[in-house]
Amino acid sequence: MITSLCHSVAETEALAVEFSRTLQSGAWVGLIGPLGAGKSVFARAVGRAVGVRGEMPSPTYTLMTVHTGRCPVYHMDMYRISSDAELEFAGILPYFSGPGICLVEWAERVRSAWPPAGWIVTIAITRDSDRSIEIARFGPATNRQDGT
């Protein structure tokens, strides 16, 4: 587990870029934190670090956007999901274990659908621009698809 105190958006982005070096195709990353904590900032920085070009807006209303990088990047926002049935109806569960990197904001809202292994990034607001960020792995020590 890694815990870091970031004093700016730039520091949060730098931490996300460093973290992205551990990610391979098939990785699932849940992002947890209150509104305005920086979940989208972190996800965008990971996306850019793995080769996504162009905008990566928060997918709050679309639920998911797919981006092209060194592998597909599935950026999801579960804020509006209130049940397992809604998650299933939305048709995005297959992407949780797809061939790309899956970045899931508000992951705590879909806890029952988490894959067997992945990462949880918990962001807490400590002061105006300060964030405490905890990155923890869960499940088996190997990635589902590439053995890392």
Side-chain angles (χ1 to χ4, degrees):
M1 177 171 30
I2 298 167
T3 302
S4 184
L5 183 61
C6 296
H7 301 288
S8 66
V9 169
E11 286 183 15
T12 297
E13 291 170 335
L15 178 63
V17 167
E18 183 67 28
F19 168 66
S20 73
R21 293 184 179 124
T22 68
L23 301 177
Q24 298 293 324
S25 185
W28 187 92
V29 180
L31 296 143
I32 297 174
L35 277 171
K39 296 178 296 294
S40 292
V41 167
F42 196 94
R44 278 192 291 274
V46 168
R48 281 192 305 276
V50 299
V52 171
R53 300 290 176 246
E55 297 294 314
M56 271 186 76
S58 178
T60 301
Y61 297 102
T62 59
L63 297 181
M64 179 178 78
T65 54
V66 180
H67 304 278
T68 303
R70 69 173 189 241
C71 65
V73 175
Y74 311 115
H75 185 196
M76 302 179 189
D77 188 316
M78 300 293 106
Y79 184 75
R80 296 181 12 197
I81 298 293
S82 60
S83 70
D84 288 348
E86 281 184 29
L87 184 61
E88 178 111 12
F89 181 76
I92 58 179
L93 278 176
Y95 295 95
F96 274 32
S97 58
I101 295 172
C102 188
L103 304 170
V104 182
E105 296 186 37
W106 298 97
E108 71 275 18
R109 298 185 61 84
V110 295
R111 175 65 180 99
S112 63
W114 288 6
W119 297 90
I120 292 297
V121 177
T122 304
I123 305 173
I125 301 170
T126 57
R127 289 198 337 224
D128 290 339
S129 61
D130 292 355
R131 302 294 186 264
S132 174
I133 301 175
E134 179 183 283
I135 301 172
R137 187 173 189 109
F138 68 90
T142 60
N143 187 308
R144 295 183 307 280
Q145 294 183 359
D146 64 8
T148 60

